[in-house]
Amino acid sequence: MYRVRVRSVPPVVLALRRFPNPRLTGIGAGLFAALTMFVLACVDRLLFDSSELVFGLLFLPVSALTALWVRPADLVTAPISVPIAFAVGVFPISGGSEGLGGQIMGLVTALAVHAGWLYGGTLIAGLIASVRKVRQMRARRRYVLAQGRGGAPASERAPRAATAASAAAKPVRAGAGGAGGAAGAVARRPQRP
């Protein structure tokens, strides 16, 4: 007899399953992160006077959502697009002086000062993407093993072309010795009945 084990799902997991679960492409996840960070930086500049703490704390959940919402085929893009989104978002709060050179210098300085938040968000995105990839590989392995159990073992399965080719081959007669005899046996046409 088989026993069915019923696992109870924690209420937190049930609550999280009710949230939207989009699957973004790599470019879509990068655009989501960059636009979200830019909007949050603008809100931070207006409401909190360009607070680095607020911007960094908002960057961490955006990094996690980016890694959670990217589709499985594009998991490698999450840890790459998150730092780019950070650089896009830090631009409104960088506080550079007038002119292009002053803006670039302010951006570089802000990136250097906020490197801790940048590394933290990138680490979160990398860990989430890695865990998702390992889970995907385990699920694929279980699926392949389940498919293998359903049919014949892999060593007994042969392609149809190989089976058809082996059926069409004719054995060489034992009395036909020499190269000419073997070549003659192969070159002969089959006789019609």
Side-chain angles (χ1 to χ4, degrees):
M1 287 257 144
Y2 291 104
R3 292 185 199 171
V4 178
R5 288 178 22 182
V6 178
R7 289 194 281 181
S8 62
V9 180
V12 175
V13 174
L14 291 174
L16 289 175
R17 286 184 182 171
R18 285 186 231 133
F19 283 107
N21 192 15
R23 288 293 172 227
L24 303 171
T25 62
I27 294 174
L31 287 174
F32 160 75
L35 290 175
T36 303
M37 287 313 300
F38 185 79
V39 169
L40 289 175
C42 291
V43 169
D44 179 25
R45 184 174 180 172
L46 290 175
L47 297 179
F48 300 106
D49 196 30
S50 302
S51 171
E52 302 98 16
L53 180 65
V54 172
F55 181 76
L57 287 174
L58 291 173
F59 175 65
L60 299 179
V62 170
S63 300
L65 287 176
T66 302
L68 286 172
W69 287 351
V70 71
R71 66 184 184 170
D74 296 329
L75 280 173
V76 72
T77 62
I80 297 169
S81 60
V82 166
I84 296 169
F86 186 86
V88 169
V90 83
F91 185 73
I93 63 169
S94 62
S97 61
E98 295 296 323
L100 181 63
Q103 291 293 329
I104 292 174
M105 187 58 92
L107 180 64
V108 170
T109 304
L111 286 173
V113 170
H114 305 308
W117 294 111
L118 175 63
Y119 293 146
T122 306
L123 181 66
I124 287 172
L127 287 175
I128 291 173
S130 298
V131 168
R132 286 186 60 200
K133 185 65 176 177
V134 167
R135 290 183 68 191
Q136 177 189 8
M137 288 170 36
R138 284 183 181 169
R140 182 175 292 160
R141 185 180 310 148
R142 279 192 300 255
Y143 175 76
V144 168
L145 288 175
Q147 292 298 319
R149 287 185 198 139
S155 61
E156 294 179 10
R157 284 185 253 150
R160 290 184 183 183
T163 307
S166 66
K170 292 185 180 182
V172 178
R173 282 190 251 156
V186 173
R188 281 191 228 148
R189 288 186 177 180
Q191 295 178 359
R192 294 185 184 175

